[in-house]
């Protein structure tokens, strides 16, 4: 394992010009791109990607939080940031461990990292290999980050089709944790990723022996087959992402052509209890977020796979958007409305609904969300049928031609919004709005956005 320890710190944004209320604020940033944002959101800091991740192929991805640290995935490994002073984040350590995606979650001293590209072995010194290689390795890696300055590789588990994303579900008793591994894109030519792959993988990590994780099951969750697909909708061959709501023993699955609700009361035997489709407007069910009471689910549609310019008049407001569903006590989903950012983007900007989290405002349903080069949006879906954007942060295009960039994940954690940029590094934002100010009283010691905690409502 190659660990690069650094002490790089953030460059604060340029001073804001005076602006009238409700008009965009424009400033030049450390990543040399113009920024516009609503007047109720402040750009505190940007910390660009540091070597060896300062290249266009080293995509910044998801984020997990613990105490004063943010753990940010990268296609080439992961980065540990000190966010004790949000206005001045610092790199604590970087782990070079290539494998694609780099989805992360944290539990105690353990950091879980997804590997989604076939490698010659499970070490961080492995090389890329072809998916047709029967000896290729993909799956989950586990690191000990009890000393954030020196992460230590503990163990790994191989999973079919690798791990595109994963979701942490704590055991109902004791300190064991379960990982629900989502992966897809099977092919008859791939010996370790055979169709139909209508399943997820379940890993158990013993709390008293995390060096010995176990793949305990790979249940078929669509025994009758998922969505067969159409010219405009992906066929279901597994799930893209799962969000757990442990307090209610449920999870929401965004499964390519299907949106589902799981019963996870038995952590080792999740089962689908509700399934919906939207073949008219949803191309690829990508991710899900519950509201705080578990009575709504926001599903995202990653139209174009995150690499297309879909925030424009040609695509319209219903595709590449969020879909808000009300969730009954019997776990039935009822469609309420769509939400999409109201600002058109350039044809050179990849833009579509992506990862976000709730802003913990008691009695309200408000979330922050990444939209790739569409920036960061804060929106209110308290009225399921009439969602409204209330704040935004948006950079000018990364390039004059279409290249993959922008905010991969944008999450609220202990008073601030943190955005992981594919090319932009870490951005820190501050909301200044009476509608969201109550969220500052809510603090978490640990936060995995795909394992939703409940705050006092």
């Amino acid at each position: 394992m190659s660990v690069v320890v650094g002490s790089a710190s953030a460059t604060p944004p340029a001073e804001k010009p005076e602006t009238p209320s409700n008009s965009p604020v424009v400033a030049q940033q450390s990543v040399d791109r113009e920024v516009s944002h609503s007047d109720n959101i402040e750009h505190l800091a940007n910390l660009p990607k540091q070597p060896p991740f300062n290249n266009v192929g080293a995509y910044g991805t998801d984020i997990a939080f613990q105490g004063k640290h943010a753990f940010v995935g990268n296609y080439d490994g992961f980065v540990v940031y000190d966010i004790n002073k949000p206005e001045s984040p610092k790199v604590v350590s970087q782990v070079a461990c290539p494998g694609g995606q780099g989805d992360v979650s944290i539990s105690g001293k353990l950091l879980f990292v997804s590997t989604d590209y076939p490698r010659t072995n499970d070490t961080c010194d492995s090389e890329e290999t072809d998916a047709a290689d029967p000896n290729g390795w993909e799956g989950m890696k586990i690191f000990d980050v009890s000393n954030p300055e020196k992460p230590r590789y503990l163990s790994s588990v191989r999973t079919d089709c690798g791990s595109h994303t994963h979701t942490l579900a704590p055991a109902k008793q004791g300190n064991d944790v379960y990982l629900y591994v989502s992966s897809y894109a099977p092919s008859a030519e791939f010996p370790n990723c055979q169709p139909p792959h209508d399943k997820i993988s379940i890993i158990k990590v013993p709390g008293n022996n995390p060096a010995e994780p176990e793949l305990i099951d790979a249940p078929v969750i669509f025994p009758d087959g998922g969505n067969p697909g159409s010219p405009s909708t992906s066929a279901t061959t597994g799930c893209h992402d799962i969000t757990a709501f442990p307090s209610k023993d449920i999870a929401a699955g965004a499964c390519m052509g299907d949106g589902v609700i799981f019963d996870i009361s038995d952590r080792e035997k999740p089962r689908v209890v509700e399934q919906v489709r939207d073949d008219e407007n949803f191309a690829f069910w990508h991710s899900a977020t519950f509201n705080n009471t578990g009575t709504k689910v926001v599903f995202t549609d990653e139209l174009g796979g995150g690499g297309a310019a879909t925030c424009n008049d040609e695509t319209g407001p219903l595709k590449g958007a969020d879909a808000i569903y009300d969730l009954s006590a019997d776990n039935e989903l009822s469609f309420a409305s769509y939400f999409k950012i109201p600002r058109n983007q350039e044809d050179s900007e990849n833009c579509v609904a992506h990862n976000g989290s709730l802003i913990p405002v008691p009695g309200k349903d408000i979330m922050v969300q990444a939209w790739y080069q569409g920036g960061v949006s804060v929106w209110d879906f308290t009225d399921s049928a009439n969602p409204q954007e209330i704040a935004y942060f948006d950079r000018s295009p990364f390039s004059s031609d279409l290249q993959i960039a922008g905010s991969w994940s944008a999450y609220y954690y202990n008073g601030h919004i943190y955005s992981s940029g594919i090319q932009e590094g870490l951005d820190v934002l501050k909301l200044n709005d009476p509608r969201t100010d109550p969220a500052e009283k809510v603090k978490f010691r640990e936060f995995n956005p795909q394992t939703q905690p409940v705050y006092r409502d």
Side-chain angles (χ1 to χ4, degrees):
M1 180 179 70
S2 176
V3 179
V4 181
V5 179
S7 58
S9 58
T11 301
E15 184 177 347
K16 301 196 305 283
E18 292 293 325
T19 57
S21 178
N22 297 321
S23 62
V25 179
V26 179
Q28 195 69 23
Q29 306 303 319
S30 61
V31 290
D32 297 325
R33 285 155 62 194
E34 192 176 73
V35 161
S36 65
H37 57 87
S38 54
D39 64 350
N40 58 350
I41 199 166
E42 181 181 0
H43 189 203
L44 295 184
N46 170 258
L47 181 48
K49 293 191 296 184
Q50 305 294 307
F53 300 149
N54 59 334
N55 62 84
V56 294
Y59 291 2
T61 61
D62 215 3
I63 317 175
F65 302 89
Q66 186 182 79
K68 66 176 185 178
H69 293 105
F71 301 81
V72 179
N74 188 285
Y75 269 51
D76 284 348
F78 64 88
V79 185
V80 183
Y81 292 94
D82 183 335
I83 55 171
N84 187 48
K85 296 180 179 179
E87 70 282 0
S88 182
K90 297 179 180 180
V91 172
V92 175
S93 61
Q94 299 186 126
V95 175
C97 195
Q101 196 69 5
D103 200 40
V104 291
S105 62
I106 192 162
S107 178
K109 67 178 183 180
L110 303 178
L111 184 74
F112 306 101
V113 183
S114 289
T115 298
D116 195 37
Y117 289 174
R119 310 293 297 179
T120 51
N121 56 58
D122 65 347
T123 71
C124 290
D125 297 321
S126 64
E127 297 179 355
E128 188 175 352
T129 188
D130 192 89
D133 180 0
N135 297 313
W137 187 91
E138 302 173 86
M140 292 299 309
K141 295 188 179 84
I142 303 176
F143 293 81
D144 182 332
V145 291
S146 52
N147 180 356
E149 295 183 2
K150 296 182 178 180
R152 183 168 60 92
Y153 187 12
L154 280 183
S155 55
S156 68
V157 177
R158 181 177 183 170
T159 58
D160 289 348
C161 297
S163 174
H164 190 71
T165 67
H166 70 272
T167 301
L168 188 150
K172 298 182 74 170
Q173 295 181 338
N175 59 354
D176 298 342
V177 297
Y178 294 91
L179 303 177
Y180 297 146
V181 177
S182 297
S183 54
Y184 58 96
S187 170
E189 299 177 357
F190 301 161
N192 300 315
C193 187
Q194 289 287 295
H197 193 70
D198 291 328
K199 61 184 181 181
I200 61 173
S201 298
I202 303 175
I203 296 171
K204 182 178 181 179
V205 183
N208 60 357
N209 190 13
E212 296 293 335
E214 180 185 2
L215 178 64
I216 61 171
D217 201 2
V220 174
I221 57 175
F222 298 105
D224 299 323
N227 193 327
S230 70
S232 60
T233 302
S234 296
T236 297
T237 56
C239 290
H240 179 277
D241 212 338
I242 296 170
T243 295
F245 199 88
S247 65
K248 292 188 72 170
D249 286 336
I250 56 175
C255 301
M256 304 181 69
D258 295 274
V260 305
I261 298 295
F262 293 97
D263 179 330
I264 60 169
S265 53
D266 183 340
R267 299 288 195 261
E268 298 187 4
K269 298 184 183 298
R271 58 189 182 89
V272 173
V273 294
E274 174 68 324
Q275 185 174 354
V276 291
R277 294 176 182 170
D278 182 351
D279 291 340
E280 181 178 357
N281 287 312
F282 255 46
F284 189 93
W285 296 70
H286 172 275
S287 54
T289 302
F290 289 94
N291 69 341
N292 188 53
T293 56
T295 58
K296 299 176 186 178
V297 184
V298 175
F299 287 104
T300 68
D301 172 22
E302 194 184 38
L303 173 68
T310 70
C311 297
N312 50 34
D313 287 335
E314 180 181 358
T315 304
L318 306 183
K319 299 179 185 295
D322 297 313
I324 304 153
Y325 282 78
D326 293 321
L327 182 63
S328 74
D330 297 326
N331 292 324
E332 293 183 352
L333 291 167
S334 301
F335 173 77
S337 66
Y338 297 105
F339 170 78
K340 191 171 183 179
I341 57 172
R343 297 171 311 285
N344 279 4
Q345 303 295 305
E346 301 292 334
D347 290 340
S348 61
E349 292 181 286
N350 58 307
C351 176
V352 76
H354 215 239
N355 295 344
S357 73
L358 293 183
I359 296 179
V361 179
K364 298 289 185 181
D365 298 327
I366 300 175
M367 71 178 289
V368 59
Q369 185 176 8
W371 287 79
Y372 289 119
Q373 288 200 66
V376 175
S377 175
V378 178
W379 58 288
D380 187 329
F381 62 105
T382 306
D383 181 349
S384 301
N386 295 287
Q388 301 289 330
E389 183 177 77
I390 62 174
Y392 73 91
F393 170 85
D394 186 11
R395 279 194 173 90
S396 60
F398 176 72
S399 173
S400 59
D401 60 342
L402 183 58
Q403 296 190 35
I404 307 302
S407 179
W408 180 289
S409 298
Y411 301 131
Y412 185 96
Y413 176 68
N414 292 355
H416 294 82
I417 292 169
Y418 297 88
S419 169
S420 169
I422 295 171
Q423 308 295 353
E424 296 81 359
L426 184 72
D427 282 300
V428 185
L429 308 174
K430 177 69 174 178
L431 275 169
N432 299 294
D433 192 301
R435 293 168 291 187
T436 57
D437 286 348
E440 295 190 15
K441 299 179 181 179
V442 179
K443 305 294 182 182
F444 294 112
R445 184 189 64 82
E446 191 172 272
F447 180 49
N448 294 297
Q450 286 77 38
T451 308
Q452 283 192 227
V454 173
Y455 55 87
R456 182 175 296 178
D457 208 16

